[in-house]
Amino acid sequence: MRLLHRFYDLHTGGGEVVVATIVQAFPEHEHVLVFNRHQESWLSAQLRAAPNVRLVKTGTKLIRKLVDQVKPDRLLYHYYPPMKAKDFEGLSEDQLSRTFLYSHWYRDVPVVPGLAGYIFTSPFGQSIAGTEVAASQASIVLNPVREQFFDVSRCAGGPFTVGRHSRDSAIKFSPDFIMLFEQMEIPDLQVRVLGFHPAVETALAKRSFAFRHTYWIMPQNTIPVWRFLRFLDLYVYKTADEFSETCPLVILEAMAAGIPVVAERKGGISDLVQHGKTGFLCNESADYKQAVERLYHDAGLRHQCGAASREWVRENASLAAFRRGLERVLG
């Protein structure tokens, strides 16, 4: 089968990582990746090296001609703004009948007559982005986690460590992210962050007080994510109030690594973290303090949550589960 993947930007965002994982999940298929812009990164280098991948940079107006040349069996339009309904204009009825809109965003997707279907990455994603989509056309396939994350084990020794990884986007971090930890009564606490936004880091440097705990702030892609996760005992996640995640891959990666997650009770996170079983969901800052301190003092609960997290992700978001889900949708 030949799959054509259409998106605007090729960089290291969640949607692009999902595209790369589709390539890994379906090595027997040919994948043509069509985009408007890109920036060279480990992801683009990996895709270029794959023998079953072809990268094509082209404008929206030339898509119809390209589709005629490539003759894909299925088309996946990976939705992020500024993609619109007019991006589908020019596709024939036959081509539209083989096209799926794959939503990675948390706002309404364009409804395009004649599409084969719509793929959402969580129940929350469907409820908020697919409000105009007929239930018969909607499918849910959770974001996939690569197998290497299931092999992650905690580095022996060292102080109790919490943290998270992210793209270096300001909305990925709440303004009080650092202060969450400053309130915690945990001796020798270390906080590690991979992918912190430069503007937030600058604000930290201008502080007028001494930190209680030790903070390691590293730029995005400084080290591989799987290696970074080896240092964490807990994964703590809190974003800007105006931002909602549909199916944050970073949380699934942490869970696959056997790390309990303490995160905001917001968006698609509630579809992933089982409160009290794989981690804890928080409504306010005080909830984070209570959950992290509880898991610090109760190593048994921490181990149970980590084991349950890994098991849940293997069942619901592993490469095998992802392949089964996409095969069901694409046929």
Side-chain angles (χ1 to χ4, degrees):
M1 182 183 292
R2 181 176 296 146
L3 298 176
L4 185 146
H5 303 269
R6 171 75 176 107
F7 47 96
Y8 268 77
D9 294 294
L10 175 58
H11 51 75
T12 52
E16 290 70 48
V17 173
V18 170
V19 172
T21 310
I22 294 175
V23 171
Q24 185 179 9
F26 294 93
E28 74 278 21
H29 295 340
E30 181 183 349
H31 302 267
V32 181
L33 278 55
V34 183
F35 51 89
N36 290 47
R37 299 176 293 269
H38 83 292
Q39 59 186 44
E40 290 296 337
S41 66
W42 65 268
L43 181 62
S44 60
Q46 181 184 89
L47 290 168
R48 288 184 193 282
N52 60 332
V53 173
R54 174 184 168 196
L55 302 185
V56 180
K57 182 179 179 181
T58 189
T60 301
K61 294 181 179 179
L62 299 176
I63 291 296
R64 170 64 185 273
K65 182 178 180 181
L66 179 65
V67 172
D68 286 337
Q69 293 173 344
V70 172
K71 295 180 172 54
D73 299 289
R74 300 288 185 273
L75 294 82
L76 295 177
Y77 271 57
H78 296 273
Y79 178 74
Y80 273 110
M83 189 176 285
K84 299 179 177 66
K86 71 180 302 183
D87 285 279
F88 296 83
E89 292 179 359
L91 295 180
S92 68
E93 289 186 10
D94 175 64
Q95 290 166 346
L96 284 171
S97 71
R98 292 180 277 119
T99 299
F100 294 81
L101 189 154
Y102 199 137
S103 176
H104 302 277
W105 198 237
Y106 63 97
R107 291 180 184 150
D108 281 338
V109 298
V111 175
V112 181
L115 280 190
Y118 298 76
I119 302 171
F120 299 95
T121 57
S122 68
F124 168 79
Q126 181 182 353
S127 70
I128 195 170
T131 56
E132 302 298 323
V133 175
S136 60
Q137 279 200 293
S139 301
I140 296 172
V141 181
L142 295 183
N143 280 339
V145 179
R146 299 186 179 202
E147 289 301 308
Q148 64 193 127
F149 288 96
F150 293 98
D151 297 327
V152 172
S153 58
R154 177 68 162 85
C155 289
F160 188 76
T161 303
V162 302
R164 58 164 293 195
H165 63 299
S166 172
R167 287 189 292 113
D168 55 357
S169 170
I171 60 174
K172 292 284 188 175
F173 294 90
S174 65
D176 66 341
F177 184 73
I178 293 297
M179 296 311 297
L180 289 177
F181 307 106
E182 287 297 291
Q183 302 168 31
M184 295 174 184
E185 302 294 336
I186 299 176
D188 299 322
L189 177 66
Q190 285 204 6
V191 180
R192 296 190 179 221
V193 180
L194 178 65
F196 216 57
H197 191 261
V200 182
E201 190 173 6
T202 300
L204 292 177
K206 295 180 179 179
R207 68 192 186 278
S208 59
F209 57 88
F211 285 135
R212 299 175 62 190
H213 305 305
T214 303
Y215 295 87
W216 296 80
I217 309 297
M218 292 171 280
Q220 180 182 355
N221 297 328
T222 304
I223 61 173
V225 172
W226 66 265
R227 185 176 297 167
F228 169 79
L229 292 175
R230 295 187 64 202
F231 294 95
L232 301 188
D233 294 288
L234 293 181
Y235 197 86
V236 181
Y237 197 82
K238 191 170 188 285
T239 63
D241 290 342
E242 68 274 16
F243 184 62
S244 290
E245 298 270 24
T246 54
C247 184
L249 185 57
V250 293
I251 285 182
L252 289 171
E253 289 171 345
M255 293 174 67
I259 304 172
V261 173
V262 178
E264 56 202 7
R265 191 189 298 272
K266 185 174 69 172
I269 296 172
S270 298
D271 294 323
L272 310 180
V273 178
Q274 298 171 291
H275 185 71
K277 184 176 181 180
T278 62
F280 290 90
L281 295 169
C282 304
N283 296 313
E284 54 189 13
S285 297
D287 297 339
Y288 284 88
K289 172 179 167 62
Q290 181 180 11
V292 172
E293 289 181 355
R294 179 181 176 184
L295 288 165
Y296 165 73
H297 289 292
D298 193 337
L301 177 61
R302 199 164 68 240
H303 176 76
Q304 290 173 16
C305 287
S309 292
R310 180 170 273 164
E311 182 180 353
W312 189 92
V313 174
R314 188 177 294 280
E315 178 66 25
N316 295 280
S318 64
L319 211 59
F322 180 67
R323 180 178 172 118
R324 288 194 301 269
L326 271 189
E327 283 180 332
R328 184 184 69 249
V329 176
L330 301 181

